[in-house]
Amino acid sequence: MKTEAYFTFSRFASVLCIASSALMAGCGDDDPNGAAGSGGGSSTSTSASSTASAGEGGAGQGGAGQGGAGQGGAGATTSSASGTGGDNSSGDTIRFIGRFDTTKPEGPRFSWAGSAIVTRFSGTSLSVRFNDESTPDQSNFFQVVVDGESRGVLKVNNQKDLYTVVDGLPDGEHDLLLHRRTEPLVGVTQFVEFVPAQGEALLPVPPAPERRIEVIGDSISAGYGIDGADETCPFTSDTENNYLAYSALTGRLLEADTAIIAWSGRGVVRNYNDEAADTMPEIYGRTIADEEQPAWDFSSWTPQVVVINLGTNDFSINVPGDAQFREPFTNGYADLVETVRENYPEAFIFCTIGPMLSDSYPEGAEALTRARAYIGEVVEDRAASGDDRVRILEFPAQDGAANGLGCDWHPSAKTNELMATQLSAAIKEELGW
């Protein structure tokens, strides 16, 4: 069947961000048998010669503490991608969620968990074209949400480029959200184009919500192991599920756009087990997580809330003693908070203590007590300097017996729900949301 391909690559600048995980909700168990997908790209017509139904579901959470648009449109229709949050007065047919590199003519590239693409279309089906770097063994996965309901998971890798997102829908207008469940280490994805069936079209998307949240974190914020059976499973991309992570859930609970900047195993000054890799403060300013350029333009999207959930990896295996570690950690954490404040002068900053920290592991390290004291010291110093918009928030230690555990002892889906409830209540308290 003949199809029309809709090019949606923005003409603005080199990077863009629209973080809106709250546009379409649909929390709850994923259907691994549904279809999924989304993309944007060339302005020429193409045929849907290869389609794929959604891959098997998966979720997970990585790293902390243990283990690891422009314009165009085929035919008479023109589509464009919005480049800033807020209004949609220009009639854009696509919105991007998170950090996207728009320097490549083929289409925008992205790698952070929680990055997503929103569109609206008429008809019964929609396909998407991606260029993806991941492999069949460790593929990228996208949650597909149609009209506010989860409709399955799309498995994407380097073996093909055209995928069926959804089909068999009632004829009419539909909202679509594609939410990347997997984190940067799985590979970069490039959005090329949406491919509606003949006679079907993309439509202007609803405006972005005014509320905006940024989360800076590690595996817990990425969603490592959430869909794993228990703590004995290792990291796999199909068990990582950012859509069910507290970071994304909080955005949906508060109807806020959410940008999630998280990578498993990364710390403030020290990565998990002293891994020789850039720490989160070193990669925080990147558009693509493992590429130094293009740098992220912080002026392109401004959150009212920033959540920092780091420190679990710093206090993992072979933790230095207090005399050796207090000053480096507090200085590194204070520098990160200062960077956030410089980028977002009016934002409320939550400095959180993660649920994987405890005084029983590593043995003798008193990880929870020390993390609480070190981060608390940074928050107190900010207050003493006149910054009253920084607060510490401690997530209770996870209860595996009551709520289960994800892969490599990471928080389960239930624990993430509890975290999202606690965090959203705190945000409501401070900001009146």
Side-chain angles (χ1 to χ4, degrees):
M1 178 175 63
K2 180 182 177 182
T3 62
E4 294 177 327
Y6 287 81
F7 175 63
T8 58
F9 183 38
S10 178
R11 290 182 293 180
F12 60 85
S14 63
V15 292
L16 64 83
C17 165
I18 300 176
S20 72
S21 60
L23 178 65
M24 288 169 267
C27 306
D29 294 338
D30 305 324
D31 175 7
N33 300 313
S38 140
S42 73
S43 58
T44 59
S45 297
T46 186
S47 60
S49 58
S50 171
T51 61
S53 59
E56 295 184 1
Q61 180 173 34
Q66 312 240 26
Q71 67 181 40
T77 303
T78 298
S79 63
S80 61
S82 63
T84 60
D87 293 344
N88 182 31
S89 57
S90 62
D92 297 323
T93 58
I94 293 178
R95 292 203 298 119
F96 294 98
I97 300 168
R99 297 184 179 184
F100 286 73
D101 167 20
T102 65
T103 63
K104 305 299 182 183
E106 298 83 6
R109 302 165 66 244
F110 57 101
S111 68
W112 296 105
S115 300
I117 305 165
V118 174
T119 193
R120 185 171 174 82
F121 66 99
S122 63
T124 62
S125 65
L126 187 66
S127 296
V128 65
R129 196 181 304 276
F130 282 128
N131 292 329
D132 191 89
E133 295 180 358
S134 67
T135 66
D137 291 339
Q138 293 282 13
S139 300
N140 276 309
F141 289 84
F142 290 80
Q143 190 70 40
V144 180
V145 183
V146 179
D147 299 332
E149 297 183 2
S150 294
R151 294 291 295 254
V153 182
L154 178 66
K155 181 179 181 180
V156 175
N157 56 48
N158 60 11
Q159 298 301 294
K160 61 167 58 181
D161 61 358
L162 189 61
Y163 301 86
T164 297
V165 181
V166 288
D167 59 13
L169 296 173
D171 194 11
E173 297 183 358
H174 302 283
D175 292 305
L176 172 71
L177 168 71
L178 294 174
H179 180 115
R180 176 166 161 151
R181 294 157 52 121
T182 40
E183 65 178 285
L185 62 86
V186 182
V188 176
T189 304
Q190 185 174 47
F191 172 77
V192 180
E193 63 186 353
F194 281 121
V195 186
Q198 185 176 20
E200 299 174 352
L202 301 184
L203 305 170
V205 294
E210 294 296 325
R211 298 174 179 177
R212 297 175 296 277
I213 302 170
E214 180 177 88
V215 178
I216 310 168
D218 49 36
S219 58
I220 299 172
S221 301
Y224 183 117
I226 290 178
D227 284 351
D230 54 37
E231 70 275 16
T232 64
C233 54
F235 175 84
T236 56
S237 63
D238 63 339
T239 58
E240 186 161 56
N241 190 349
N242 180 261
Y243 190 71
L244 294 185
Y246 83 94
S247 49
L249 287 172
T250 299
R252 296 201 294 278
L253 285 172
L254 295 174
E255 298 182 347
D257 284 3
T258 306
I260 300 164
I261 313 303
W263 193 328
S264 291
R266 304 304 173 97
V268 178
V269 296
R270 180 174 178 267
N271 296 326
Y272 178 79
N273 197 24
D274 286 317
E275 178 190 0
D278 293 335
T279 59
M280 278 307 301
E282 291 174 311
I283 65 177
Y284 171 56
R286 298 177 183 175
T287 305
I288 303 296
D290 59 353
E291 300 177 10
E292 293 185 5
Q293 296 296 328
W296 178 243
D297 178 7
F298 286 96
S299 68
S300 66
W301 186 80
T302 304
Q304 296 98 341
V305 176
V306 176
V307 179
I308 303 174
N309 188 356
L310 291 170
T312 304
N313 291 305
D314 297 85
F315 288 94
S316 67
I317 301 172
N318 301 319
V319 184
D322 181 75
Q324 296 78 33
F325 198 49
R326 176 184 287 268
E327 184 175 355
F329 182 88
T330 54
N331 286 346
Y333 200 101
D335 287 347
L336 176 59
V337 174
E338 178 62 23
T339 296
V340 171
R341 176 57 72 225
E342 289 175 354
N343 291 326
Y344 311 127
E346 303 302 321
F348 199 101
I349 304 171
F350 288 87
C351 300
T352 68
I353 309 295
M356 294 178 69
L357 284 165
S358 75
D359 283 340
S360 61
Y361 180 88
E363 185 177 357
E366 297 185 326
L368 176 57
T369 295
R370 291 170 62 191
R372 183 190 293 133
Y374 295 2
I375 295 173
E377 180 180 322
V378 173
V379 173
E380 290 172 2
D381 287 347
R382 296 296 307 189
S385 69
D387 188 350
D388 61 356
R389 296 181 65 77
V390 182
R391 166 181 167 179
I392 193 167
L393 178 70
E394 182 170 338
F395 294 113
Q398 59 185 351
D399 185 344
N403 302 318
L405 291 167
C407 297
D408 287 326
W409 301 86
H410 280 79
S412 65
K414 179 60 179 179
T415 298
N416 274 276
E417 289 179 13
L418 296 172
M419 294 171 65
T421 299
Q422 179 185 358
L423 179 57
S424 61
I427 293 172
K428 287 180 180 179
E429 178 184 347
E430 296 293 351
L431 279 81
W433 288 3

